[in-house]
Amino acid sequence: MVARVDPPSSSDGLFPRPRRVVAPGAVHVPEWLSVDRRRELVAACREWARGPVPLRHTVLPGGGVMSVRTVCLGWHWQPYRYGRTADDVNGARVAPFPEWLADLGRAAVAEAYGDADAAASFAPDTALINFYDGAARMGMHQDKEERSGAPVVSLSVGDTCVFRFGNTQDRGRPYSDVELASGDLFVFGGPSRFAFHGVPKVYAGTADPAAGLRAGRLNVTLRETGLH
């Protein structure tokens, strides 16, 4: 018999989780996405996962395979560059980045920073959608393939995870562990734009059936590449 892993106490719905500035420029806003918006995101992600470039496990240059599965919009990310076509998958051009997702990204920046000018100037042109099953992890890394210093917007739907947010120098301490539950928003920019971050744990069995996701975690990250 497999032991049941109880959800983290902070995500059980009994106690409100306050917004938190984790580091300068890094803001966690719990339960930002409504149930309807989460449901819309899940449905959209299912469509994007079908192609033209399907959801896949990314193969790293050394031959390792990432445990998360990924699909991209606008620009295709592969280690460690962007392109318009998925040369490491099937050679197809990736699905376009929708304007409604850019609008959601600008609303997220406005919510996190309370800065209308920063929100208006945010022009995301790519999304990386990562799907985590209960065994998937993400090692500590920097998002540094972009040529823009604009913030990264991270949206979570489904299983709660431990999101480890570190420093800009290396993968070690100091870092902060933040529980990201379904509907949570995390934005990092400014002095924290190139901080190392990762997902060391996913709490299987804490997903969001109301959003149409009974198992696993979807993470949608919106980025401004600075590419043309």
Side-chain angles (χ1 to χ4, degrees), residues 32-53:
W32 184 66
L33 294 170
S34 68
V35 173
D36 287 344
R37 180 60 87 178
R38 300 197 304 266
R39 191 179 298 116
E40 291 169 0
L41 274 175
V42 169
C45 287
R46 287 199 171 106
E47 286 296 318
W48 296 326
R50 295 187 181 102
V53 180

Side-chain angles (χ1 to χ4, degrees), residues 8-182:
S9 59
S10 64
S11 61
D12 62 11
L14 297 176
F15 304 102
R17 294 177 298 139
R19 64 183 289 145
R20 175 185 172 196
V21 177
V22 177
V27 181
H28 174 213
V29 184
E31 301 175 15
W32 184 66
L33 294 170
S34 68
V35 173
D36 287 344
R37 180 60 87 178
R38 300 197 304 266
R39 191 179 298 116
E40 291 169 0
L41 274 175
V42 169
C45 287
R46 287 199 171 106
E47 286 296 318
W48 296 326
R50 295 187 181 102
V53 180
L55 192 74
R56 93 292 186 193
H57 291 281
T58 301
V59 178
L60 299 171
V65 179
M66 294 178 65
S67 59
V68 302
R69 287 181 283 168
T70 304
V71 65
C72 304
L73 306 177
W75 290 88
H76 179 76
W77 178 86
Q78 66 184 81
Y80 291 97
R81 61 186 178 87
Y82 285 104
R84 290 295 193 185
T85 56
D87 300 333
D88 62 333
V89 184
N90 60 3
R93 188 178 179 91
V94 298
F97 182 85
E99 187 58 30
W100 67 264
L101 204 52
D103 290 340
L104 184 62
R106 284 186 279 272
V109 171
E111 175 66 34
Y113 293 157
D115 186 332
D117 291 337
S121 65
F122 184 50
D125 58 347
T126 190
L128 272 67
I129 298 107
N130 291 321
F131 178 76
Y132 295 73
D133 61 23
R137 305 288 183 267
M138 181 76 74
M140 296 291 280
H141 65 283
Q142 293 172 298
D143 294 342
K144 61 179 182 179
E145 285 76 47
E146 299 79 22
R147 296 180 184 174
S148 168
V152 173
V153 170
S154 172
L155 305 168
S156 295
V157 182
D159 282 335
T160 297
C161 78
V162 176
F163 180 60
R164 181 161 291 170
F165 194 77
N167 62 82
T168 59
Q169 302 303 314
D170 56 46
R171 293 175 174 82
R173 293 179 184 276
Y175 54 71
S176 297
D177 283 347
V178 182
E179 286 179 355
L180 297 183
S182 194

